[in-house]
Amino acid sequence: MVAVFNSEAAYENSGTASEAATRSLRLEIKDGAASATLEGIPPGQYAIKAFHDLNGDAKLNTNLFGIPTEPVGFSNDAPVHMHAPSWKETVFVVHAGENAISIHLD
């Protein structure tokens, strides 16, 4: 599950779901990896939240303390400490033309 955000407000208020996302998509994992091409993303600042939906319920599952029990990842491979990384840690710039970003899930 991948959610792309185009503003700090949308990113910070989204939790880990995609309700405020500019784009959201569900990718199929093959050989331990997934990829997607997003057409029509205008230049600007963006951040991505992703998780591996191990049980297929389309939700990020957490334990009693709110800590994810499924692998998560963020743009810039921003590390997760006691909370999800901030917009400032995950924001990246999309320029006109082709852009690429890789995210590793832990």
Side-chain angles (χ1 to χ4, degrees):
M1 303 292 289
V2 178
V4 181
F5 301 91
N6 67 352
S7 74
E8 182 174 5
Y11 176 88
E12 298 292 349
N13 294 315
S14 70
T16 53
S18 59
E19 65 269 7
T22 299
R23 297 273 176 95
S24 61
L25 49 146
R26 183 181 196 124
L27 304 176
E28 184 177 337
I29 297 175
K30 292 183 180 180
D31 298 324
S35 66
T37 300
L38 301 177
E39 301 288 338
I41 298 285
Q45 292 186 323
Y46 295 88
I48 297 173
K49 295 180 181 183
F51 72 94
H52 184 174
D53 186 17
L54 295 173
N55 63 0
D57 67 356
K59 298 182 215 173
L60 175 62
N61 299 118
T62 60
N63 65 19
L64 293 173
F65 301 105
I67 297 170
T69 58
E70 296 177 303
V72 297
F74 298 86
S75 43
N76 299 331
D77 276 338
V80 177
H81 294 294
M82 298 303 281
H83 54 80
S86 70
W87 166 264
K88 288 178 183 169
E89 294 171 293
T90 59
V91 69
F92 63 96
V93 176
V94 170
H95 301 281
E98 291 187 22
N99 295 258
I101 185 167
S102 295
I103 299 172
H104 300 88
L105 304 184
D106 293 321

